[in-house]
């Protein structure tokens, strides 16, 4: 798996300004380092959605709350719930470089963000293939923290996936995923094609987003 340098530069806020050879080489080094220290893991399960009494994942006590996640899954009778991670070594390296080279730490963080999104894209493709065999399409990934879908559900997601045991992902009392470069998401199975919507509008960082102000996207 590769790390898209254009994506790394986008996370770093690069807008075609001059970049000297030293910085360019440092980015290349960080991309290689992230690949060498990451231990990507992921897991997902597929649940039927019971909409008779709210949105409940079948055979669990997980009730999906919030208008935006319900809108996201409004045409779905089942969904995949996933978690992916790069592992704890990435966190340790970023913290280490924060003490000796903030520039390297920032670049390494951008490389890690790009890489975990790439891993998630691969998981999504795998889930899409399962849906295709059922004659269905999928929605885009929707994660806690988007719109009014609270990040407080992180622990519930990890519990239903037994994520600590299966991929080593936990969450703090404030619902921060550990390792930090981890992602949880919901992907609906539906007959319809993916809706072409402006996903920025459902993001809780819409008003303050520096990417959007630069007329680009964060990739969400």
């Amino acid at each position: 798996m590769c790390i898209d340098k254009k994506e790394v530069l986008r996370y770093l806020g690069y807008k075609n300004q001059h970049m000297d050879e030293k910085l360019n080489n440092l980015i290349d080094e960080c991309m290689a380092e992230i690949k060498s220290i990451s231990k990507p893991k992921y897991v997902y399960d597929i649940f039927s959605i019971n909409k008779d009494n709210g949105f409940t994942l079948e055979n669990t006590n997980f009730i999906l709350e919030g208008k935006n996640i319900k809108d996201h899954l409004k045409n779905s009778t089942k969904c995949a719930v996933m978690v992916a991670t790069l592992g704890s070594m990435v966190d340790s390296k970023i913290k280490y470089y924060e003490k000796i080279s903030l520039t390297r730490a920032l670049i390494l963080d951008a490389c890690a963000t790009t890489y975990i999104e790439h891993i998630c894209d691969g998981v999504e493709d795998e889930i899409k293939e399962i849906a295709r065999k059922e004659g269905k399409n999928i929605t885009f990934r929707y994660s806690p923290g988007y719109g009014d879908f609270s990040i407080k559900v992180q622990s519930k997601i990890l519990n239903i996936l037994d994520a600590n045991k299966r991929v080593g992902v936990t969450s703090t009392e404030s619902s921060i995923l550990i390792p930090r470069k981890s992602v949880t998401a919901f992907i609906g199975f539906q007959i319809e094609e993916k809706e072409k919507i402006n996903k920025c509008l459902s993001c809780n960082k819409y008003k303050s987003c520096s990417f959007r102000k630069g007329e680009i996207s964060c990739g969400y």
Side-chain angles (χ1 to χ4, degrees):
M1 292 185 176
C2 61
I3 297 177
D4 187 337
K5 192 170 184 177
K6 289 183 179 178
E7 285 293 290
V8 174
L9 292 172
R10 187 170 62 83
Y11 282 117
L12 289 170
Y14 176 71
K15 297 177 182 176
N16 296 316
Q17 61 267 48
H18 173 70
M19 179 167 50
D20 61 33
E21 184 177 354
K22 183 179 178 181
L23 180 58
N24 190 49
N25 290 339
L26 179 57
I27 293 172
D28 290 341
E29 288 175 16
C30 288
M31 290 168 60
E33 185 168 8
I34 280 297
K35 286 192 69 176
S36 70
I37 63 176
S38 295
K39 295 186 181 302
K41 293 181 180 178
Y42 66 87
V43 64
Y44 61 84
D45 286 327
I46 297 169
F47 299 87
S48 294
I49 304 171
N50 185 340
K51 299 179 183 177
D52 292 337
N53 295 303
F55 275 54
T56 305
L57 301 185
E58 198 166 84
N59 298 320
T60 77
N61 60 358
F62 194 158
I63 301 173
L64 298 176
E65 297 181 344
K67 179 180 182 299
N68 296 129
I69 185 63
K70 291 176 181 175
D71 285 346
H72 183 70
L73 298 174
K74 64 183 179 184
N75 296 320
S76 302
T77 55
K78 62 169 62 176
C79 67
V81 184
M82 60 168 280
V83 56
T85 183
L86 295 184
S88 60
M89 181 59 76
V90 173
D91 290 359
S92 298
K93 276 291 184 178
I94 291 174
K95 288 181 180 177
Y96 170 73
Y97 286 126
E98 284 174 346
K99 297 175 182 175
I100 62 173
S101 172
L102 188 56
T103 299
R104 192 176 187 107
L106 290 171
I107 295 173
L108 206 66
D109 189 279
C111 292
T113 299
T114 303
Y115 198 29
I116 187 61
E117 288 301 320
H118 180 70
I119 299 298
C120 289
D121 288 344
V123 179
E124 183 175 321
D125 287 343
E126 194 172 304
I127 292 169
K128 184 177 183 180
E129 181 61 18
I130 295 172
R132 187 190 66 78
K133 291 178 179 177
E134 297 182 11
K136 296 180 179 177
N137 290 300
I138 59 170
T139 65
F140 59 84
R141 298 193 299 271
Y142 201 92
S143 294
Y146 294 169
D148 64 357
F149 192 32
S150 173
I151 65 168
K152 293 180 180 178
V153 302
Q154 295 286 30
S155 61
K156 293 181 180 178
I157 294 173
L158 300 181
N159 284 338
I160 64 171
L161 294 177
D162 198 12
N164 186 14
K165 183 177 181 180
R166 296 167 79 183
V167 293
V169 177
T170 61
S171 66
T172 66
E173 289 185 358
S174 53
S175 300
I176 303 299
L177 295 176
I178 304 295
R180 295 292 297 271
K181 293 303 177 183
S182 302
V183 171
T184 62
F186 288 74
I187 298 174
F189 286 31
Q190 61 185 31
I191 300 298
E192 295 80 4
E193 295 284 347
K194 286 183 181 180
E195 290 185 75
K196 298 182 184 297
I197 64 173
N198 184 347
K199 293 186 285 184
C200 289
L201 293 174
S202 64
C203 180
N204 59 7
K205 295 181 179 177
Y206 177 75
K207 293 183 178 179
S208 61
C209 178
S210 58
F211 291 110
R212 189 179 62 82
K213 289 177 180 176
E215 298 183 347
I216 57 177
S217 166
C218 69
Y220 154 50

